[in-house]
């Protein structure tokens, strides 16, 4: 079993950009344990900009590109420092891979990316992937890590993509505003109805909302990869997923 797990800024940091220590410690422990059980895992992690904002003591996420890129440069360093430290406690080695959208359309770079991921997994290393935010702007960027994680899942020929978010999954309506909203457990093929359910929301420091998640599901579906959206507030949910329990929303890769 090879799985790509994506964690968003909202899972890793508090709204002010400071590290959610309890959340990230538990996440690293669970992923380390799942790796010990034999599951191959690739982590796509956001949080560079959010953590940079926290580390630099900025009052809010900057809007201009140079400040965002500076925050990402500071935050990416901090992010990897934290992962390195926490995974080392469980005897796991992490590796950083930073990608831009451009890298996926250059055949030789894409090939190198795939080969490096394969080699790292063979060496039992945990690849930690993020967009190379300090150089990726305008047309060359992927733009959000939901899409990046789907592209990674395809590149890694993964069996499953898990998007850990601050929401339980895809709802029939926006649960923040509509009390009658219910969780959709399974999506067998993305159609216009499903696309229409994706609002535009996202958290303060992160980028993606449901729109980018549906886009990610689209990419996975075409490649025959299952994708699950689940709430990352408690990383133990990953155990439930790999135990085959019915959590979150599962998008079936091979529509039946
Ligand atoms: N690459 C961005 C970061 O690490 C996040 C993008 C996203 O959350 O979709 O801050």
């Amino acid at each position: 079993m090879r799985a790509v797990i994506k964690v968003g800024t909202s899972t890793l940091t508090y709204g002010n950009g400071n590290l959610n220590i309890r959340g990230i410690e538990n996440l690293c422990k669970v992923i380390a344990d799942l790796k010990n059980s034999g599951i191959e895992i690739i982590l796509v992690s956001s949080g560079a900009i959010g953590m940079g904002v926290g580390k630099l003591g900025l009052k809010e996420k900057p809007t201009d590109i140079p400040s965002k890129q500076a925050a990402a440069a500071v935050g990416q360093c901090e992010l990897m420092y934290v992962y390195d430290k926490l995974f080392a406690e469980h005897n796991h080695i992490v590796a950083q891979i930073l990608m831009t959208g451009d890298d996926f359309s250059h055949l030789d770079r894409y090939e190198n990316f795939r080969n490096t991921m394969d080699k790292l997994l063979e060496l039992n290393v945990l690849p930690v992937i993020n967009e190379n935010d300090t150089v990726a702007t305008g047309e060359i960027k992927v733009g959000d890590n939901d899409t990046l994680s789907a592209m990674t899942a395809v590149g890694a020929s993964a069996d499953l993509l898990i998007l850990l978010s601050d929401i339980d999954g895809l709802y029939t309506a926006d649960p923040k505003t509509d009390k009658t909203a219910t969780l959709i457990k399974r999506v067998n093929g993305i159609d216009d109805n499903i696309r229409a359910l994706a609002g535009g929301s996202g958290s303060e420091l992160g980028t993606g909302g449901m729109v980018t998640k549906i886009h990610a599901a689209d990419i996975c579906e075409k490649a025959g990869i299952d994708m699950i959206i689940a709430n990352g507030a408690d990383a133990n949910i990953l155990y439930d997923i790999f135990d085959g329990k019915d959590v979150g929303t599962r998008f079936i890769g091979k529509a039946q």
Side-chain angles (χ1 to χ4, degrees):
M1 158 67 87
R2 182 175 284 192
V4 175
I5 299 172
K6 182 254 173 179
V7 280
T9 305
S10 59
T11 305
L12 302 171
T13 64
Y14 292 107
N16 58 8
N18 289 335
L19 192 64
N20 180 338
I21 297 173
R22 183 170 48 176
I24 198 168
E25 276 189 356
N26 196 36
L27 176 77
C28 294
K29 188 171 126 201
V30 173
I31 290 179
D33 196 28
L34 289 168
K35 272 179 65 62
N36 286 351
S37 76
I39 298 167
E40 289 185 325
I41 295 177
I42 295 163
L43 184 62
V44 174
S45 179
S46 307
I49 298 176
M51 280 172 84
V53 168
K55 184 140 195 190
L56 291 166
L58 306 179
K59 285 198 180 59
E60 55 200 24
K61 182 175 171 178
T63 46
D64 64 293
I65 289 170
S67 303
K68 266 198 223 171
Q69 291 180 319
V74 171
Q76 181 64 31
C77 190
E78 177 76 356
L79 192 61
M80 287 314 295
Y81 168 72
V82 171
Y83 280 134
D84 192 43
K85 190 164 165 286
L86 294 177
F87 279 107
E89 283 175 17
H90 305 289
N91 294 317
H92 282 285
I93 299 168
V94 296
Q96 171 184 271
I97 303 180
L98 298 177
M99 296 291 286
T100 66
D102 219 20
D103 296 325
F104 287 91
S105 45
H106 280 75
L107 218 60
D108 50 346
R109 286 194 232 162
Y110 185 55
E111 204 52 36
N112 289 338
F113 170 59
R114 292 171 52 117
N115 291 340
T116 306
M117 272 195 303
D118 275 345
K119 182 51 81 179
L120 289 168
L121 292 172
E122 190 188 309
L123 293 166
N124 198 25
V125 170
L126 176 75
V128 182
I129 297 170
N130 196 359
E131 179 130 34
N132 194 353
D133 290 317
T134 52
V135 298
T137 52
E139 280 157 19
I140 65 159
K141 71 176 176 181
V142 177
D144 71 87
N145 278 8
D146 294 325
T147 306
L148 176 66
S149 61
M151 289 159 86
T152 300
V154 175
S157 308
D159 304 294
L160 179 66
L161 169 63
I162 302 167
L163 302 183
L164 291 181
S165 182
D166 55 359
I167 189 161
D168 290 341
L170 179 67
Y171 281 83
T172 52
D174 185 350
K176 285 183 199 135
T177 52
D178 187 342
K179 287 214 162 43
T180 65
T182 54
L183 184 69
I184 300 172
K185 291 275 189 189
R186 193 169 270 256
V187 176
N188 237 321
I190 298 159
D191 54 20
D192 288 346
N193 290 335
I194 294 294
R195 279 193 195 91
L197 292 177
S201 68
S203 69
E204 236 359 52
L205 292 171
T207 308
M210 205 42 85
V211 176
T212 54
K213 288 178 180 49
I214 301 297
H215 183 225
D218 232 336
I219 295 172
C220 285
E221 186 186 296
K222 289 195 177 76
I225 300 167
D226 275 16
M227 188 191 101
I228 294 175
I229 302 173
N231 198 321
D234 180 355
N236 288 307
I237 202 165
L238 290 170
Y239 287 123
D240 293 339
I241 290 172
F242 288 106
D243 286 345
K245 289 189 189 147
D246 206 10
V247 291
T249 302
R250 181 183 279 260
F251 296 79
I252 306 300
K254 291 227 183 314
Q256 291 146 8

